[in-house]
Amino acid sequence: MTTYLVDASVYIFRYYFALPPNWTGRQGYPTEAVYGFTNFALDLLGRGPRYMACAFDESLGSCFRNELYPDYKCSRAQPDEALAFQLAACREMAEALGIACFASERYEADDLLAALTRISADQRPVIVSRDKDLGQLLARGAASLWDFAADIHMDAAAVQAKFGVRPEQIADYLALVGDSSDDIPGVPGIGPKTAARLLMEFDDIEALLRHTERVARLPLRGAAGIAKRLLTYAEQIRLAKRLTSLEDGIELSVGVDDLVPRKADIHFVQALADEFGIGGLKAKIGRTLAAVNGETL
């Protein structure tokens, strides 16, 4: 039986932007993301995972990374009232479905998933996400990254084939090339291929920065200039590595058995579906939760 650790916010936003506003809750807010996320969560529960957890992002602007670098994710707008409603409704629905849910104002969903991976490493969890940053978790006990929408699984070998670096080097790779989605700058003139080539030669950025004289002699176009830029941007690179590294030492005060899906109240979940204007899922809710609960409809 599989363990699913779900990057919930990635899928909430996916459905928010991908689905038409065909659903409205009793509060008057559109609920297309709630519909999409609930359907997605039911599909995962229907696969009968032994353990399952969802991590939600509640740290935009308040994450510890903003203390290190105030411009971290500065281009991302805070959710408006309508989106904030859907984000909260998705978590409410996940909890009603019996799924263990985690969120923090200081740590991001990625960090929570890292901590959950540490807790469940013996179970070789599948990380349900499309976020490349989470490739790091394949070096910490996760079995694969699963992009649910595209149904693509990536193990450690697939991550290395895609990015040219090992999972444990993903944070170093991003520190060199930058991550525009998080407003993390990279080193000018160092793109994905150059970063991968450098990390093929050196295990991490500290080894790279200690041996820039060797970088200058590598058979790379403009190697001397690359070595010079590494020295010029050394502190930026080190800061970027802190920003791109996942924090798995968060104290969650749970064990792996706390991730077993709880028996859900089918009638309550169906009533919640009506509240959120997604009553079309009531039959699927009944079938899925009856199977999870070991009940007969």
Side-chain angles (χ1 to χ4, degrees), residues 207-226:
L208 180 61
L209 294 173
R210 283 197 305 270
H211 300 290
T212 52
E213 76 287 348
R214 283 175 52 195
V215 173
R217 298 194 298 269
L218 289 176
L220 283 172
R221 183 177 180 181
I226 292 170

Side-chain angles (χ1 to χ4, degrees), residues 90-223:
C90 287
R91 180 172 178 183
E92 186 176 357
M93 182 60 80
E95 290 173 341
L97 289 170
I99 302 167
C101 294
F102 299 87
S104 168
E105 291 187 353
R106 182 163 176 78
Y107 297 101
E108 296 181 83
D110 290 5
D111 302 306
L112 297 170
L113 290 168
L116 291 165
T117 298
R118 172 175 50 81
I119 291 166
S120 62
D122 288 347
Q123 309 303 320
R124 298 287 289 158
V126 172
I127 310 300
V128 186
S129 179
R130 57 190 303 178
D131 187 347
K132 62 184 180 300
D133 299 22
L134 293 174
Q136 299 173 56
L137 299 183
L138 299 181
R140 305 190 194 185
S144 67
L145 291 181
W146 181 25
D147 181 348
F148 177 85
D151 195 21
I152 296 173
H153 286 265
M154 295 181 68
D155 60 10
V159 166
Q160 185 162 0
K162 182 176 178 63
F163 297 106
V165 297
R166 303 188 305 276
E168 61 268 29
Q169 294 177 306
I170 289 288
D172 301 271
Y173 171 85
L174 292 172
L176 292 172
V177 303
D179 189 342
S180 59
S181 66
D182 290 343
D183 298 293
I184 299 173
V187 180
I190 295 185
K193 290 183 179 179
T194 300
R197 178 66 181 84
L198 292 172
L199 292 170
M200 186 185 303
E201 189 76 21
F202 304 93
D203 278 342
D204 54 38
I205 60 165
E206 286 304 325
L208 180 61
L209 294 173
R210 283 197 305 270
H211 300 290
T212 52
E213 76 287 348
R214 283 175 52 195
V215 173
R217 298 194 298 269
L218 289 176
L220 283 172
R221 183 177 180 181

Side-chain angles (χ1 to χ4, degrees), residues 95-99 260-266 289-290 292-295:
E95 290 173 341
L97 289 170
I99 302 167
V260 175
R262 302 181 306 279
K263 185 174 181 177
D265 183 328
I266 296 175
L289 293 184
V292 172
N293 295 346
E295 300 173 358

